[in-house]
Amino acid sequence: MPDVVIRTKGLRKVYVSGFLRHKFVGLHGLDLEIFRGEIFGYIGPNGSGKTTTIKLLMGLNFPSGGEGEVLGKPIGDNAVRRHLGYLPERPYFYDYLTAYEFLHFYGSLHGMTKGERNRKIDELLPLVHMERARDVQLRKFSKGMLQRVGLAQALINDPQLVVFDEPSSGLDPMGRMLIRDTILRLRDQGTTVMLSSHILSDVESICDRVGIIAGGKLQRVAAVSELVGADVESVEITLEGATEALLAELGAGDGHLHASGRRTLTVPDEDSAQHLVRKALDGGAKLVSVVPRRESLESMFVDEMTAIDKSSREAKR
Amino acid sequence: MKVQAIALTTFREAVRDKILYTLLFFALAMIAASAVIADLTIGEYGKIIRDLGLAAIDLFGLMIAIFVGIGLVYKEIERKTIYTIASKPIARWQFLLGKYLGLVMTLGAEVLVMTVGFLVQLQLTGAGTTGALIPAIWLIFVELLVVTAVAILFSSFTTPMLSALFTLGITVVGRLTAQLKELSEAGDAPGLELVASGIYRLVPDLATFDIRTEAAYGRPVDWEYVGYATGYGLLWTAVLLAIGTVVFQYRDFK
């Protein structure tokens, strides 16, 4: 039995708002298990309940029903928070603190000694490429820089579990890569990661398992390999110097002609691809690339959401 | 240590914010202007300068207590800074107490600067100090402790606009307690007496902290009274913070 780090059973959240006390169910009886050492992707459209789940797990909001455990203790347990890291979506921090003071402050909240804080800050600032901004006040930071110090505060206590809520939201490619690399490094160290994200290519490339949530209900939990499938749907072959005569001989159509003169042809499977490549090389063309196309998490997610949308519309009729 | 970390951070944030310096500048300007006003009046020159100086410390202290206090917790939730803080191993009461103490430290520093400015003014104008001046300023500070606790209580569950209204309301009513007491004992309108006596009992009596007239006139200090008023203020502060903590303990951070 794998070690369970997060376990929820029938976890519910009902929001009540306004003078007339309108009720909105943010989460319908969530049953979820996340195992030690895995990277768990949590995906769903906007307003599906991802942030609600995370807020309940972090003890920021109180559940309306059901139960949950984090690292073996009921959610909201103060002692467990010593081992948690959390980076919320679009984080804001105190404007007038410098990066150094900011990290010291968060280290103090974990009860770390000054020596421990100094050591950890010296380790973390270079890791998030912020050593040059150490003495700059946070109000002068760009969004990406705030996200980087936010990442550092989430790791200051060497957590056993780190929860990221849309960590790459609004980040440039370098920032996204930093987040991705940090998550993979955490996994290598044995840290469990829960990653809520809209960037499905990232989720697909780094997560072990994925939970899909829509309308406050968990729709599916599966390994990424199960969801995206191993079967190749098509293969794209790019050639250079393919003459009209050769194209006619290959019998894969005209494909797509690039401005560089290269041509990309698409065939339905790997066998056809091997056959075509051999013939193309024999015919004097130069092979540039062969790219097998599989169903991506993104296309699977869009299909799943479309199906849910359709069935809910039918149910309403 | 965690309460201390939050208090120090709150203090650091507050003293680096330029708004406080603007308020402090106006307070010192008002203290300085008291000499001009005193010049325009006939007699009791020293008394008027002392009176206006104490009033300036009181007024600007209250402005900082209310206008910083009302947004203190609300802003943390609105700007979501609380998300990362509340996810750390810290109890909610520690957060609230830390925020409160941070603002108290800020107020302490402001009152100290204003007091120094006031004493310099008294020296320069030759208005002279009285023995009760420092106790009077101390009680203004105790009053600020209570008003800050009121502001932070409202800030823990409602918007700054409503918090400002409630806190200002309580501050005004709290200063009119003598009139409320009279009204509750008037004997000719039982309904009104009941309401007045209810409000009188529910609202801290801020007039307790006002010994400014005695200080301005240079009457001797009644240390026993200063001790009583301090105890009264601290008790109210503790009660208000305890209520604030209970409210804050069970609220969601949306």
Side-chain angles (χ1 to χ4, degrees):
Chain A
M1 271 289 280
D3 191 2
V4 179
V5 169
I6 292 176
R7 173 183 283 130
T8 69
K9 208 162 177 218
L11 198 65
R12 286 182 80 237
K13 181 65 189 174
V14 180
Y15 292 107
V16 181
S17 66
F19 186 70
L20 296 172
R21 314 212 30 93
H22 284 297
K23 284 186 178 172
F24 167 75
V25 183
L27 201 60
H28 297 262
L30 176 76
D31 295 330
L32 181 68
E33 281 186 338
I34 297 179
F35 305 116
R36 188 173 294 278
E38 73 172 337
I39 304 178
F40 185 86
Y42 200 42
I43 61 176
N46 288 332
S48 58
K50 300 189 297 291
T51 300
T52 296
T53 307
I54 290 173
K55 281 184 181 175
L56 292 175
L57 292 172
M58 291 293 112
L60 300 175
N61 285 356
F62 293 93
S64 312
E67 53 196 58
E69 274 181 13
V70 176
L71 296 169
K73 297 274 182 191
I75 49 176
D77 184 278
N78 214 5
V80 157
R81 293 199 185 123
R82 206 170 300 236
H83 308 293
L84 300 183
Y86 170 46
L87 179 62
E89 186 182 3
R90 286 190 291 271
Y92 286 99
F93 304 112
Y94 294 126
D95 285 340
Y96 292 95
L97 295 187
T98 64
Y100 179 75
E101 290 168 340
F102 166 82
L103 291 174
H104 257 287
F105 170 57
Y106 279 85
S108 307
L109 296 183
H110 276 292
M112 294 163 70
T113 63
K114 196 170 180 196
E116 286 170 336
R117 280 181 267 149
N118 278 331
R119 186 186 53 77
K120 200 64 202 172
I121 292 169
D122 288 344
E123 181 192 318
L124 283 172
L125 283 176
L127 199 78
V128 295
H129 311 307
M130 290 294 287
E131 58 271 58
R132 282 159 78 184
R134 172 191 167 106
D135 297 316
V136 179
Q137 287 185 356
L138 265 55
R139 68 196 167 101
K140 293 176 185 158
F141 277 22
S142 68
K143 197 174 175 181
M145 289 164 85
L146 276 179
Q147 199 82 347
R148 284 165 197 256
V149 287
L151 180 62
Q153 67 77 29
L155 306 180
I156 195 143
N157 55 322
D158 291 323
Q160 292 178 26
L161 165 69
V162 188
V163 177
F164 292 102
D165 193 0
E166 301 288 354
S168 302
S169 163
L171 287 189
D172 60 17
M174 296 302 287
R176 273 178 58 187
M177 194 189 284
L178 172 74
I179 298 277
R180 231 173 19 232
D181 290 349
T182 306
I183 292 175
L184 289 171
R185 195 177 49 81
L186 286 170
R187 199 240 323 253
D188 292 345
Q189 291 168 354
T191 309
T192 311
V193 176
M194 180 178 186
L195 168 68
S196 157
S197 181
H198 279 308
I199 301 171
L200 299 184
S201 54
D202 283 357
V203 174
E204 183 180 334
S205 65
I206 62 174
C207 290
D208 301 304
R209 287 193 312 141
V210 172
I212 301 170
I213 185 169
K217 289 177 192 158
L218 188 65
Q219 307 289 337
R220 212 166 152 183
V221 177
V224 172
S225 54
E226 273 175 52
L227 290 174
V228 296
D231 295 342
V232 172
E233 290 189 329
S234 64
V235 181
E236 287 177 1
I237 301 147
T238 302
L239 301 171
E240 199 173 281
T243 59
E244 295 289 329
L246 179 62
L247 285 176
E249 197 186 324
L250 293 173
D254 288 342
H256 173 70
L257 181 63
H258 300 269
S260 60
R262 290 172 177 174
R263 196 175 285 273
T264 299
L265 304 171
T266 306
V267 291
D269 53 51
E270 286 157 310
D271 286 345
S272 314
Q274 277 190 4
H275 181 68
L276 189 141
V277 167
R278 217 171 289 133
K279 270 174 95 175
L281 292 174
D282 290 346
K286 194 176 159 192
L287 183 64
V288 177
S289 67
V290 179
V291 181
R293 296 277 173 210
R294 295 181 171 87
E295 188 189 21
S296 69
L297 185 62
E298 192 153 345
S299 58
M300 187 284 306
F301 178 75
V302 171
D303 291 347
E304 183 113 0
M305 287 305 121
T306 311
I308 291 167
D309 196 36
K310 196 176 159 195
S311 65
S312 70
R313 262 186 282 137
E314 277 167 6
K316 273 183 191 165
R317 260 187 226 148
Chain B
M1 186 178 153
K2 291 172 187 176
V3 174
Q4 189 190 344
I6 290 173
L8 281 174
T9 301
T10 306
F11 176 69
R12 202 173 266 161
E13 278 279 297
V15 294
R16 287 178 186 175
D17 196 336
K18 288 179 184 65
I19 295 168
L20 285 187
Y21 292 101
T22 315
L23 281 172
L24 198 58
F25 170 77
F26 279 108
L28 292 172
M30 190 171 155
I31 291 169
S34 64
V36 182
I37 299 165
D39 273 341
L40 300 174
T41 56
I42 304 158
E44 297 188 321
Y45 177 79
K47 187 249 163 194
I48 288 169
I49 289 188
R50 288 192 291 272
D51 213 4
L52 283 173
L54 287 172
I57 294 174
D58 188 28
L59 179 71
F60 285 94
L62 278 175
M63 279 171 73
I64 296 166
I66 295 175
F67 292 108
V68 180
I70 54 167
L72 209 58
V73 178
Y74 182 84
K75 225 169 74 181
E76 297 264 351
I77 299 166
E78 193 64 14
R79 293 193 65 196
K80 299 179 183 172
T81 41
I82 198 153
Y83 284 18
T84 42
I85 296 173
S87 66
K88 302 285 180 272
I90 169 170
R92 290 192 178 186
W93 69 263
Q94 288 176 310
F95 174 78
L96 203 72
L97 187 63
K99 293 302 289 181
Y100 176 78
L101 292 177
L103 182 51
V104 165
M105 282 164 69
T106 313
L107 283 165
E110 299 270 339
V111 169
L112 193 69
V113 173
M114 288 191 280
T115 304
V116 170
F118 180 43
L119 293 176
V120 169
Q121 162 81 341
L122 292 177
Q123 199 65 39
L124 290 177
T125 56
T129 55
T130 70
L133 272 187
I134 298 300
I137 294 172
W138 165 252
L139 286 188
I140 288 175
F141 182 65
V142 177
E143 180 193 18
L144 296 181
L145 296 183
V146 178
V147 174
T148 306
V150 174
I152 216 163
L153 163 64
F154 288 118
S155 176
S156 66
F157 68 91
T158 188
T159 61
M161 186 61 104
L162 287 175
S163 296
L165 278 175
F166 293 144
T167 312
L168 271 174
I170 287 182
T171 308
V172 171
V173 173
R175 292 185 154 208
L176 298 174
T177 44
Q179 287 85 336
L180 274 172
K181 194 160 188 283
E182 263 175 42
L183 205 61
S184 68
E185 291 162 357
D188 47 3
L192 191 64
E193 280 167 28
L194 198 69
V195 172
S197 112
I199 296 174
Y200 175 70
R201 282 182 173 79
L202 278 176
V203 171
D205 180 4
L206 299 180
T208 306
F209 310 111
D210 185 2
I211 56 164
R212 297 207 303 264
T213 313
E214 289 84 339
Y217 275 107
R219 287 184 197 140
V221 186
D222 180 352
W223 289 106
E224 201 177 314
Y225 180 79
V226 173
Y228 159 77
T230 304
Y232 177 77
L234 293 180
L235 194 66
W236 260 107
T237 301
V239 169
L240 290 164
L241 286 178
I243 299 170
T245 303
V246 172
V247 174
F248 195 60
Q249 183 68 34
Y250 297 104
R251 70 159 296 173
D252 281 345
F253 301 136
K254 283 176 191 167

